[in-house]
Amino acid sequence: MELLKGQYNSRTMKKKKLNLRDLNKTSSDNHKRNDGYNHSGLESIVNFNTYLPAIFSFVMLIIGIAMDYFDVAFFKDWIRIVWYAIAYLPVGFPVIKEGWESIKKGDFFTEFLLMSIATIGAFAIGEYPEGVAVMLFYAVGELFQSAAVKKAKGSIKALLDVRPNEALVYRNNNYVSVNPETVAIGEKVQVRVGEKIPLDGILLSEKGSFNTAALTGESKPDTIAKGEKVFAGSINLDGVIEIETTKEFKDSSIARILDMVQNATARKSKTELFIRKFARIYTPIVVFLAIGLTFIPYFFVDDYVFSEWLYRALIFLVISCPCALVISIPLGYFGGLGAASKNGILFKGASFLDEMTKVTTVVMDKTGTVTKGVFKIKNVVVNNGSLSEAEMMKYLMAMEEQSTHPIAKAIMEYKVDGEDFQATEVTEVAGKGLKGTVNGTTVLVGNKALMTSNNITVPTETDDIVESIVMVSIENTFAGYVTIADELKEDAHEAIQQIRESGISKIIMLSGDKDSITQQVAKEMGVDWAKGGLLPEDKLKEVEKLMSETDNKVAFIGDGINDAPVLAVSDVGIAMGGLGSDVAIETADVIIQTDQPSKIAKAIKIGRSTRRIVWQNIGLAFGVKAVVLVLGAGGLATMWEAVFADVGVALLAILNAVRLQRMQWAS
């Protein structure tokens, strides 16, 4: 079990830690190979060499058992011993060596020591085939384990594969190919069709279509317009594009996500930590019990036979090896992290997989979480019979062109030819709107307070409008108004339904937007309770109040910027659209890369599936071992039953953990 010992032992974590930079260099070197040879053959040879010692030992063991069965004349005495010793060494020597290395470091009671004592003891009492078989199955178990870990790392390797190897940068009036790590912020980079975006940036071309599957788990191409963000690792699908870099290579979203996924394996759950501590106490107790089982019966049994009781003690040692627990539990959590990553959900550690299963209350922000955070014109109402809608909008757009407010941007999306309308002498009235002149005509654009302060009569119907409203006055006469609203995300209703179906008892919405809008959105979505007009510190107080309630576990979902304080303090902080938010990556415990609120329920389901499999493995390991331990101590179990109780159970637990990689969680 050497591989997982290196992977999960916290004392050696730094030494064995997956080095993303080195792996990326290896990946880069592989891409640069251009020697005309197919390197898959070399990889096959390496894989075959990995299994060769076990294959050799298996063949030798089968031949030896066959010669024993047919009572071959020459297969006696020292020839038989040498034969089984040769069969034992390829699989036994690495384990004995590892056990010796552990002893030199002061770590005496390891699974390596248990297996070494048990198998060498079997040779000492003449049970040669059983000694070889135990070590052989142990080696096979390690190979299965290695394959399982390799499968669980598939998501991380997929991310490594999308790390770009070169960037075409515009320097000295020409595009030159350079290492992405040498590209500075603000440089112009060209990306051809089928190539990966080398660094985070903004799109300079009119539009682009990108495959972001490796980053978000979504196979649907993402269409980006000029000026919008693009992320390193996305694949350009349509035409040659240009981007302007906004981050260095080491700070790009893909690099930070890789680092986060890597570090997630080091943040263990309470169950995982308990089992490792338990194994360190449990193993020495088992060794001393085995010694007692060998010698204590001498004082109580009339027909005491040393070899018989030693055999029982060796069986006891093999059965009690904690491999199934030490392997399958970390592997279960590792599988859960990998499965979540494939679905566009990043957990910052196994502990948060556990925490997601305990959540009872979901609190969510509105803007950017369940809504798109992009304002759109909802209605245009003209109150002046002498004006058409297009004419009023020309006056309004001429004024709003001078503003950078998000609502102004939404108004400028309106399709109308207004080039002949020019605004001059535009001044901002703090908290109310804009005042200026358009083509010699006085125009006011803003809220009701602006109209009232200029003695302009506003229709009473506007008092009942919930959405943001922009009123227009032309030559001191109320001309009409435009309502602006934020759109719900496509899966917002589905998200609430699925969160309820996952067993969450309370769903709450807290927003900085005005309370009337928040209440309208909350009612439309069917959340239990909502409150608007909140500053970040107000949201924090509300969440802390919820967390103070007995047995209430709170998950907060926000956009990761102004919600950072609440994300940090909640039991589970979930950031939406974390791919583009530095604050989200730093603060949240879980990141929904696809910006889809429906993934929240999927994160809960993945956490529950992981926990269920981990506890299945714990029950399987303890149950089978307890039964066979009793049988072994009573002389009713042989070394073969011991092999099943140890290696067999470990293999079953590994196969159970691997199921996480194949599970489907309906959106």
Side-chain angles (χ1 to χ4, degrees), residues 380-389 392 456-462 465 469-474 477-482:
V380 178
V381 178
V382 181
N383 268 46
N384 188 328
S386 62
L387 277 179
S388 67
E389 178 180 313
M392 189 190 80
I456 295 168
T457 304
V458 176
T460 55
E461 67 187 62
T462 59
I465 295 173
I469 183 169
V470 179
M471 300 180 180
V472 182
S473 165
I474 300 173
T477 301
F478 187 80
Y481 60 88
V482 174

Side-chain angles (χ1 to χ4, degrees), residues 109 153 160 178 308 323 346 393 405 471 519 535 601 630:
F109 299 105
K153 285 181 178 176
L160 284 170
V178 300
E308 179 184 329
C323 300
L346 294 180
M393 289 303 297
H405 193 279
M471 300 180 180
Q519 297 298 339
L535 296 172
V630 173

Side-chain angles (χ1 to χ4, degrees), residues 71-86:
D71 199 19
V72 176
F74 73 86
F75 197 64
K76 306 288 183 185
D77 303 324
W78 67 270
I79 294 177
R80 184 168 181 263
I81 297 171
V82 170
W83 183 275
Y84 282 116
I86 293 172

Side-chain angles (χ1 to χ4, degrees), residues 578-593:
L579 192 63
S581 172
D582 291 339
V583 178
I585 290 177
E586 295 297 333
T587 311
D589 306 314
V590 183
I591 297 175
I592 309 294
Q593 290 175 261

